[in-house]
Amino acid sequence: QVEWMETGGELGALLLESRLVKELAPTGNRKLRRHEGDCVVRLVPNESGLCPEVVPIEDTRLGQEDSAVFGPFRAEKDAWRALEGKAREAGLCLKTLGLESGDGSCFAYQVKKCRGACVGKEPRALHDARLQMALAPLRFKPWPFAGAIGIREPAPGAGGTHIHVIDHWSHLGIARDEDEVQALLRGADAATFDADSYRIIGRALQDVRPRDLLRFPARRQS
C-alpha cells in the first residue's frame, strides 16, 4: 500500500520528509532519523590558547552569543573526525589540540607536517588563528534576521499560499493566514533545534525570491 502527501514545493517536501522520518523511524532511512547525539565543536580559551571541545547542541545558544561554534554533527565521533581532518589539512598540531598524547613533539612534527606549536616553535597565537581559519567552512551560521521569517510557497490543490514560519533555524509550522502565523510565533519558545531543518532552511534561503520572504518583528524579551 502506498500513501502520498502533496506539498506546494521542494521546501515543504523536504521539511515534511525530515519530520516524518523522525516520527516514524523507518528502517530504510537512517540519515534523517532523530539523533540524540547531535553536537557542535566549540573553541574555548584557556591559559595557553584556544582548545576545542565537543558539546551537545542543547548546551549551546546557537548563532547567538557563541561566535566560535562549528557544526552541527550527528555524533561526537563525527565532530572529532571533522576537527582532525581540518587540522591535518592545515598542518595544525594534533597534540596542541588534544587529539594526540605523549611526551615531546607530535608525530606530524617529526615528519615535517606540523609547524611546531607542540615544541614552542610556532607561536600559539598564530596556531590559534590558523585553527579558526581551518574551521571556518564548518562555522555554524548565525541567524541572519532580527526576528522570525516566513517563506511563501504555493499551496497544494486548489491554489493559495502556504507560509513556512521559521525562527532561529527552527521550522515552527505552516500558516495560511495572519492568525495562524501569530499562533505559531507564540509557540516559538518551545521549538527545539533540528540539525536537518537547519541544513534544509539554509539551502532554501540561498534561492528564495525576495517577494517570497516575509520578515516578522523581533519578539520582545521579558
Side-chain angles (χ1 to χ4, degrees):
Q1 180 178 345
V2 177
E3 297 180 7
W4 57 273
M5 302 175 70
E6 186 177 4
T7 65
E10 183 180 25
L11 177 59
L14 291 172
L15 290 169
L16 177 61
E17 178 193 20
S18 178
R19 178 176 63 81
L20 290 177
V21 168
K22 290 174 176 62
E23 290 178 357
L24 303 176
T27 57
N29 189 331
R30 296 183 178 274
K31 185 175 181 181
L32 293 177
R33 290 175 68 172
R34 191 174 303 280
H35 296 271
E36 300 298 334
D38 283 345
C39 55
V40 295
V41 172
R42 186 166 58 188
L43 298 181
V44 180
N46 61 18
E47 64 278 2
S48 300
L50 295 178
C51 290
E53 65 175 13
V54 177
V55 297
I57 277 181
E58 56 267 24
D59 292 349
T60 308
R61 293 181 62 189
L62 293 173
Q64 297 181 33
E65 83 279 8
D66 289 286
S67 58
V69 174
F70 308 89
F73 304 95
R74 297 183 185 276
E76 182 176 350
K77 64 179 181 180
D78 295 333
W80 288 118
R81 187 182 299 119
L83 175 62
E84 181 176 344
K86 291 296 183 183
R88 290 186 184 277
E89 289 176 7
L92 297 170
C93 179
L94 299 186
K95 187 173 181 180
T96 299
L97 296 177
L99 298 173
E100 185 179 314
S101 59
D103 298 328
S105 66
C106 70
F107 177 76
Y109 180 71
Q110 299 172 36
V111 295
K112 303 185 184 306
K113 292 185 177 180
C114 164
R115 298 183 186 180
C118 47
V119 293
K121 187 174 180 180
E122 180 183 29
R124 183 61 184 267
L126 177 57
H127 187 271
D128 287 348
R130 294 201 303 115
L131 170 62
Q132 294 182 78
M133 291 177 60
L135 293 180
L138 301 178
R139 184 180 293 275
F140 185 92
K141 300 179 182 65
W143 181 241
F145 305 100
I149 63 166
I151 297 179
R152 289 194 184 98
E153 193 172 48
T161 301
H162 278 168
I163 300 174
H164 294 279
V165 182
I166 302 163
D167 188 21
H168 284 86
W169 304 115
S170 293
H171 184 238
L172 306 183
I174 295 174
R176 295 164 183 80
D177 54 39
E178 179 63 22
D179 289 340
E180 292 185 0
V181 168
Q182 294 304 317
L184 290 173
L185 291 176
R186 285 193 293 271
D189 289 335
T192 57
F193 177 83
D194 177 73
D196 293 311
S197 293
Y198 162 75
R199 298 183 184 96
I200 293 168
I201 294 166
R203 289 193 296 267
L205 286 175
Q206 296 176 10
D207 300 322
V208 66
R209 296 176 297 183
R211 66 185 182 187
D212 291 329
L213 180 65
L214 306 175
R215 299 171 186 252
F216 304 122
R219 290 175 292 145
R220 294 180 179 178
Q221 300 295 325
S222 56

